[in-house]
Amino acid sequence: MTSHFGALTAFALLVSVVFGIITKNEPYEQFKYGAFVFVSFLLAAVLVGWIMYPLPL
Amino acid sequence: MLKGDSPNAPADSAQNFTVGVGKSVVLKPQSPAMTAAACVGGLLVPGLGHLLLGRWIRGVLLLASVLLMFVLGLAMHGALSSPPASGELVSFKTLNTFANVGVGLAYVITIGLGKGAGIPDSQTADYGWLFLVVAGLLNYLIVFDAFDIARGRKQ
């Protein structure tokens, strides 16, 4: 894992696969929901990153 | 909450579910022994419950996802928590151990091999810790899913 973004992408991908499988019945629904969760993870991370950008940390 | 979601919902009769336009499936509950086997198997090896219930693709994907997350957590120098001493049962360490133990045999084998101590000074140690914790917690959810499938509440 070479970067923070790489780690969070791997985390989002693996969690999305599990969430997609256990929350939906049909394969297409599972794929759709998994993709939604994956993209949501990434967007939330980017958004939170920009919100924290001006903070003096 | 739907009546079928209740823990006391009947599991002894087949149920009809509509899953699409004009498409209906019958979910047949498994025997209590098979339900128990799926749950215990799923606790020991992620995805094994689904494999026992004939959900091959789901089982393999779940197995790969949880184990990959566990291995990545170890590779990122995350630390596994060992069971707390009797004097510190009410502590964060208990919760941490509960989450770690969720991956089942992988946890036992890793601890048995003397691995999983982690490297606290590593830059990725916090990420690794999180991967290890979430891998175990995800497996608890997977076992609940296997239980629902075995009871005939889910496809």
Side-chain angles (χ1 to χ4, degrees), chain A residues 1 3-8 10-15 17-27 29-30, chain B residues 19 23 50 57-58 61-62 64-66 68-69 72 76 123-124 127 130-131 134 138 141-142 145 154-155:
Chain A
M1 220 47 61
S3 68
H4 292 280
F5 189 73
L8 87 87
F11 181 86
L13 181 65
L14 296 172
V15 173
V17 169
V18 175
F19 276 13
I21 289 173
I22 67 176
T23 52
K24 302 291 178 186
N25 278 323
E26 293 289 297
E29 286 180 347
Q30 291 173 336
Chain B
V19 295
K23 200 173 162 192
H50 288 74
I57 297 175
R58 292 185 200 188
L61 283 173
L62 293 171
S65 298
V66 173
L68 186 57
M69 184 170 268
L72 283 175
M76 287 190 272
Q123 286 188 333
T124 55
Y127 280 101
L130 186 72
F131 271 60
V134 173
L138 281 177
L141 291 179
I142 291 168
D145 188 56
K154 189 170 181 282
Q155 203 177 334

Side-chain angles (χ1 to χ4, degrees), chain B residues 4 26 44 66 69 93 105-106 133 154:
Chain B
V26 178
L44 293 175
V66 173
M69 184 170 268
K93 191 174 186 185
L105 287 178
V133 165
K154 189 170 181 282

Side-chain angles (χ1 to χ4, degrees), chain B:
Chain B
M1 187 169 78
L2 296 174
K3 192 179 174 188
D5 292 336
S6 161
N8 299 319
D12 55 354
S13 60
Q15 301 176 48
N16 269 302
F17 281 81
T18 302
V19 295
V21 180
K23 200 173 162 192
S24 177
V25 294
V26 178
L27 302 182
K28 193 178 168 206
Q30 304 289 326
S31 66
M34 179 53 104
T35 303
C39 292
V40 174
L43 272 176
L44 293 175
V45 179
L48 182 59
H50 288 74
L51 293 173
L52 288 173
L53 295 168
R55 269 64 171 185
W56 303 105
I57 297 175
R58 292 185 200 188
V60 169
L61 283 173
L62 293 171
L63 174 69
S65 298
V66 173
L67 285 189
L68 186 57
M69 184 170 268
F70 185 76
V71 170
L72 283 175
L74 292 176
M76 287 190 272
H77 311 303
L80 285 172
S81 178
S82 51
S86 59
E88 51 182 28
L89 282 178
V90 183
S91 64
F92 180 74
K93 191 174 186 185
T94 303
L95 294 175
N96 196 355
T97 305
F98 172 77
N100 285 155
V101 167
V103 291
L105 287 178
Y107 171 85
V108 177
I109 292 170
T110 306
I111 292 290
L113 291 174
K115 308 285 182 187
I119 302 176
D121 292 337
S122 169
Q123 286 188 333
T124 55
D126 286 340
Y127 280 101
W129 172 82
L130 186 72
F131 271 60
L132 293 172
V133 165
V134 173
L137 295 178
L138 281 177
N139 195 39
Y140 288 125
L141 291 179
I142 291 168
V143 171
F144 283 128
D145 188 56
F147 176 79
D148 278 345
I149 293 172
R151 293 272 293 180
R153 296 178 192 163
K154 189 170 181 282
Q155 203 177 334

Side-chain angles (χ1 to χ4, degrees), chain A residues 6-57:
Chain A
L8 87 87
T9 304
F11 181 86
L13 181 65
L14 296 172
V15 173
S16 302
V17 169
V18 175
F19 276 13
I21 289 173
I22 67 176
T23 52
K24 302 291 178 186
N25 278 323
E26 293 289 297
Y28 180 64
E29 286 180 347
Q30 291 173 336
F31 174 78
K32 242 182 15 176
Y33 186 71
F36 170 74
V37 173
F38 177 68
V39 172
S40 300
F41 262 124
L42 294 190
L43 288 180
V46 171
L47 181 67
V48 170
W50 274 107
I51 290 172
M52 291 193 297
Y53 184 70
L55 300 180
L57 295 175

